[in-house]
Amino acid sequence: MHEDGNGGGRGVESGVTGSGVNQPEFLALERELTVLLRRARANQGEMAREVHPDLESSAYGLLVRLGECGGQRATELAAYIGVGKATMSRQLRALEDLGLVTREPDPADGRAWLVTLTPEGQERVGRVREARRARYARRLADWDPREVAELARLLHELNRGMEK
């Protein structure tokens, strides 16, 4: 979801009145999401450096996406990340220069190219993601596994809602 900082010139989102946003649950949600997002940005930078010391923080998400979904066209990656073609091209060139991704012809359309992780990229991203999951497991060791599953479910619902 893209936000331009001024609400895009639209009115209030469906079903939420101006006074509704000041309810305690929305204030608490805003506060907790702000903390979570700040920590996530810091962690993304650390994880990017663990993959490769010269990797830009913003490129880490591209590598994770490629690791999860396999080969993708640059236009698909740009749409998923929410950047323009020029930015995506620059990031992909940098990732190629680091030996983390490669481009190969799209078998479905010979005019297009698919971006995929190289074996080196797969190994590095896999190692960093495994270490991250181990950190989550340590930090949430005193949680009931059902609570962890519920948190994942609720975050998934939040992310789906933010796409609308």
Side-chain angles (χ1 to χ4, degrees):
M1 178 171 142
H2 302 286
E3 297 178 7
D4 62 8
N6 66 7
R10 294 186 309 245
V12 176
E13 294 283 332
S14 65
V16 178
T17 63
S19 62
V21 298
N22 290 321
Q23 294 175 352
E25 58 270 19
F26 288 108
L27 294 170
L29 176 63
E30 177 192 27
R31 180 179 53 253
E32 297 305 325
L33 283 176
T34 299
V35 171
L36 178 66
L37 293 172
R38 186 179 66 238
R39 288 180 177 156
R41 277 190 293 275
N43 286 337
Q44 184 169 330
E46 291 172 18
M47 290 181 290
R49 286 186 295 281
E50 288 177 31
V51 170
H52 193 284
D54 296 330
L55 183 65
E56 289 183 31
S57 174
S58 60
Y60 178 78
L62 286 174
L63 297 175
V64 169
R65 177 71 175 185
L66 290 170
E68 289 179 345
C69 299
Q72 304 244 300
R73 291 182 180 185
T75 53
E76 294 170 324
L77 290 168
Y80 176 75
I81 300 293
V83 298
K85 290 180 188 178
T87 300
M88 182 55 54
S89 292
R90 182 185 59 76
Q91 286 186 336
L92 291 176
R93 271 194 308 278
L95 291 171
E96 283 181 297
D97 291 345
L98 295 174
L100 300 173
V101 302
T102 188
R103 296 179 208 218
E104 46 196 50
D106 184 345
D109 181 353
R111 300 166 298 168
W113 295 85
L114 291 179
V115 180
T116 60
L117 289 176
T118 63
E120 175 77 8
Q122 290 173 353
E123 188 278 324
R124 287 176 179 244
V125 171
R127 183 173 23 89
V128 171
R129 292 189 75 201
E130 187 175 321
R132 180 176 58 173
R133 285 190 306 274
R135 281 192 296 266
Y136 289 154
R138 283 191 306 274
R139 290 178 180 161
L140 301 177
D142 58 341
W143 284 39
D144 183 296
R146 292 174 300 212
E147 292 174 317
V148 176
E150 180 66 2
L151 176 60
R153 186 189 71 75
L154 290 170
L155 288 171
H156 176 76
E157 289 298 317
L158 176 64
N159 285 327
R160 274 191 16 188
M162 298 301 252
E163 289 175 358
K164 295 177 183 173

